[in-house]
Amino acid sequence: AQSVSQHNHHVILSEAASLELGCNYSYGGTVNLFWYVQYPGQHLQLLLKYFSGDPLVKGIKGFEAEFIKSKFSFNLRKPSVQWSDTAEYFCAVSTGGFKTIFGAGTRLFVKA
Amino acid sequence: NAGVTQTPKFRVLKTGQSMTLLCAQDMNHEYMYWYRQDPGMGLRLIHYSVGEGTTAKGEVPDGYNVSRLKKQNFLLGLESAAPSQTSVYFCASRDPRGPGELFFGEGSRLTVL
């Protein structure tokens, strides 16, 4: 069965620190990859997506992610986090069918 | 721009009671989904629909029923609520022609006592 693993469940950083959140998936075929963000009390919204082309994709608010096919990974990065980045981040995979599978989420807390 | 709208936003039920969550989208999307979100478990798919009049089971369908009588609406029903169904429920929709981006509603927090 397809699955998505997020390596860290909780991350605490100080402002200006660099961020990398790991995501690995298990599926051997073509995938579309997503990172969604959920700010406190809000619904999920798309941060960035990859479906073809350049494996380094840039999203909103300075986030980027790199698709490494050989490692089945799609890690999220940001060079310098801000207090407003405090949120829960979800990696998700769509295999071209009907379903999107989500990871368990990573809660990021950024100290001001 | 309403996007995806869920009602109600909050509800408290007693064990055994029934209720229906309504999801409405105005983007003319074919696909619609119901997820539940629980701490440490991410989002788990309950049921989904790929078009008007069709529904299918997701990962955790037990205890829930759904209906898609109109393209823009997707209803999630709990016939006999249980405490294990205490959760936050999210509806989402998707255009099947795109790469799979989901558009989410604001969530419905359900507590079953």
Side-chain angles (χ1 to χ4, degrees):
Chain A
Q2 301 149 23
S3 64
V4 179
S5 299
Q6 292 185 237
H7 306 160
N8 311 95
H9 295 298
H10 293 91
V11 174
I12 301 174
L13 295 172
S14 297
E15 274 195 314
S18 63
L19 170 71
E20 180 160 3
L21 301 182
C23 173
N24 286 89
Y25 62 92
S26 63
Y27 183 73
T30 302
V31 293
N32 296 326
L33 300 160
F34 306 86
W35 277 96
Y36 288 88
V37 60
Q38 185 179 29
Y39 297 105
Q42 297 187 24
H43 64 287
L44 279 81
Q45 53 189 290
L46 183 69
L47 198 56
L48 48 77
K49 63 188 175 189
Y50 170 83
F51 55 94
S52 66
D54 189 343
L56 184 62
V57 292
K58 296 190 184 298
I60 60 172
K61 303 186 180 183
F63 286 90
E64 65 178 31
E66 185 175 12
F67 170 48
I68 302 179
K69 189 174 182 179
S70 61
K71 294 185 178 181
F72 299 92
S73 70
F74 190 55
N75 292 353
L76 181 70
R77 299 194 291 250
K78 185 171 183 178
S80 176
V81 295
Q82 300 173 317
W83 176 80
S84 57
D85 293 325
T86 293
E88 190 160 14
Y89 294 82
F90 294 93
C91 182
V93 175
S94 170
T95 58
F98 306 126
K99 301 180 187 178
T100 299
I101 307 299
F102 285 81
T106 298
R107 290 194 176 214
L108 171 65
F109 179 73
V110 180
K111 297 184 290 185
Chain B
N1 293 335
V4 180
T5 304
Q6 294 180 226
T7 53
K9 302 263 188 307
F10 301 93
R11 185 74 186 271
V12 178
L13 290 177
K14 294 181 180 179
T15 297
Q17 287 185 317
S18 64
M19 74 158 295
T20 300
L21 297 176
L22 170 63
C23 176
Q25 53 97 2
D26 61 3
M27 295 174 283
N28 203 34
H29 287 170
E30 288 291 337
Y31 295 177
M32 295 187 75
Y33 305 82
W34 276 107
Y35 288 89
R36 60 176 290 173
Q37 182 183 26
D38 302 290
M41 304 186 77
L43 278 78
R44 293 181 292 168
L45 182 63
I46 305 171
H47 285 281
Y48 63 99
S49 168
V50 299
E52 182 178 314
T54 71
T55 63
K57 295 180 180 180
E59 304 170 69
V60 288
D62 294 343
Y64 304 95
N65 56 74
V66 288
S67 64
R68 184 99 180 266
L69 298 179
K70 293 183 178 180
K71 185 177 182 178
Q72 62 268 35
N73 296 337
F74 194 30
L75 279 64
L76 177 71
L78 285 71
E79 290 187 347
S80 179
S84 61
Q85 293 177 304
T86 293
S87 187
V88 180
Y89 293 85
F90 284 98
C91 177
S93 71
R94 180 193 143 190
D95 182 347
R97 297 166 297 177
E101 177 184 353
L102 293 171
F103 293 82
F104 285 89
E106 294 187 350
S108 298
R109 183 175 293 275
L110 174 65
T111 301
V112 183
L113 302 175

